[in-house]
Structures are given as C-alpha cells and as structure tokens.
Amino acid sequence: VQLQASGGGLVQAGGSLRLSCAASGSGFSINIMGWYRQAPGKRRELVATITRGGFTNYADSVEGRFTCSRDSTKNTVYLQMNNLKPEDTAVYYCNAKGYRLGSGGTYDSWGQGTQVTVSS
C-alpha cells in the first residue's frame, strides 16, 4: 500500500493548512488512517487518527484546532489544521493500517512526509 501526502507549506501563526493523503495499491482494506509528526530533535508523535467507522482520536495539543476526516471512496485522509502555532512546525507523516485481501496479512504503511512550517 503506497501513501502519497500533499498540502504542507509555510504559514503564519493563526493560519490554516489542509493536508491530504491518498492510499493506492490493490487488494487491501484500510482499518485506520492517521497523521503523525516529527519536529527536529524530537520523536515522532501521533497527531490524529480516524477509523473505518469514522471514530477520531487527537493529541491533546491539537484538540479543537485540527480535524481529521476521511473519504473511504477515495482511500484518502485529510487533516484540516486551523489556528496553527509555531510549535506545530514539523514533518507530517500519514499512516495507514489494515489487512491485505486474500492473504489476510496486515500492513502498516507510511507516506513520505510533508513539511509544515508555522512562523511567529
């Protein structure tokens, strides 16, 4: 399963960005998609996830500012980021977990990362 993320960029504090991530391949089912981020010198951390059923989970630091949504017909996950802060600056990675049809084997795939920079 390949993931292609887009939508990062440079924005001033208080601004907004929308990230997108599309999954492609054949013979797979997605259980959960989400976003993680890694700032320089820090560990990768969870930002938000969304299940196949639409249940979402957010990091405390982004709750109320970020919204994770999903278009299952397009195998795409979105992250709407509002009221961005300088501490949101990081490389954002999308992630998808699920299983392969037929074999039933699981997968855990990552996108290439997209840079989000928030200036003060």
Side-chain angles (χ1 to χ4, degrees):
V1 178
Q2 293 78 45
L3 301 178
Q4 181 67 47
S6 61
L10 172 65
V11 65
Q12 290 187 329
S16 299
L17 283 173
R18 188 188 193 215
L19 306 182
S20 300
C21 177
S24 63
S26 61
F28 66 95
S29 178
I30 302 174
N31 287 339
I32 187 168
M33 297 186 79
W35 295 91
Y36 294 73
R37 67 186 181 188
Q38 187 168 18
K42 295 187 177 181
R43 293 183 175 181
R44 189 173 298 188
E45 62 177 4
L46 179 145
V47 177
T49 59
I50 185 167
T51 68
R52 188 190 323 185
F55 292 100
T56 54
N57 179 50
Y58 296 95
D60 290 343
S61 59
V62 307
E63 183 83 53
R65 299 187 297 122
F66 291 10
T67 301
C68 185
S69 61
R70 176 174 173 174
D71 185 340
S72 296
T73 65
K74 299 179 180 179
N75 288 330
T76 299
V77 64
Y78 306 95
L79 186 68
Q80 177 66 44
M81 304 183 292
N82 297 329
N83 190 22
L84 282 159
K85 303 176 180 180
E87 51 264 42
D88 294 319
T89 296
V91 177
Y92 283 69
Y93 297 90
C94 63
N95 174 262
K97 298 180 178 66
Y99 61 92
R100 300 186 185 282
L101 303 177
S103 69
T106 60
Y107 66 86
D108 183 352
S109 296
W110 292 89
Q112 82 283 10
T114 183
Q115 177 71 46
V116 172
T117 303
V118 184
S119 63
S120 57

